[in-house]
Amino acid sequence: VDEPEDAVMAASPANAVTPDEEDPDKLAKAATFAYGSSIVLTVVLIIIWPIPMFAANYVFSKGFFIGWVVFGLIWSLIAAATVIFLPIWESRDSVVHFAKGVARDVAGTRGSAAKKDLEPAATMEVGAAEEK
């Protein structure tokens, strides 16, 4: 079965996976780092940092509390934007390639090689083989 040239996405250098990204030892090391970092940050941000403030009976002033809330909201918005838009940005080549393919399919200009796949001749051969 012939494939259109633009359908072979994995061959483009932008989508290539480097050997380092598939190395099991490096992946295991990265996973260990991620797990450890997550545990340390959780302990620091939820236990170690708030306990001294609670133990000291610290009460936020109105101005400090407003600053704290504004800082938290800005931090959350930046984090959300990063989590939402960074993956889209990193896969922009694939998204553009996909959008162009959809546009060609809708316009009916995908190419003769792709139209061969849709012809019923291949299914007729299967049916003829079953009758024998």
Side-chain angles (χ1 to χ4, degrees):
V1 176
D2 293 331
E3 292 185 22
E5 291 177 19
D6 59 347
V8 184
M9 206 164 124
S12 67
N15 298 318
V17 177
T18 63
D20 286 345
E21 292 174 339
E22 293 183 342
D23 181 23
D25 294 332
K26 289 190 178 189
L27 288 173
K29 187 175 181 181
T32 302
F33 175 76
Y35 297 143
S37 299
S38 299
I39 291 169
V40 167
L41 282 172
T42 300
V43 169
V44 167
L45 295 175
I46 293 181
I47 298 171
I48 296 176
W49 182 19
I51 294 244
M53 294 175 75
F54 178 75
N57 292 325
Y58 183 77
V59 177
F60 290 160
S61 66
K62 184 176 181 179
F64 186 80
F65 181 72
I66 290 171
W68 185 268
V69 170
V70 168
F71 177 79
L73 289 174
I74 291 170
W75 184 278
S76 299
L77 290 173
I78 291 172
T82 302
V83 168
I84 292 168
F85 294 114
L86 189 59
I88 295 170
W89 178 256
E90 288 178 345
S91 62
R92 66 189 178 276
D93 294 334
S94 298
V95 171
V96 168
H97 181 78
F98 174 79
K100 286 180 180 178
V102 169
R104 281 192 297 270
D105 281 350
V106 169
T109 59
R110 186 167 175 204
S112 61
K115 289 179 185 175
K116 287 181 189 175
D117 293 341
L118 300 176
E119 292 178 4
T123 57
M124 286 183 186
E125 291 173 10
V126 171
E130 290 175 0
E131 291 175 7
K132 291 181 183 179

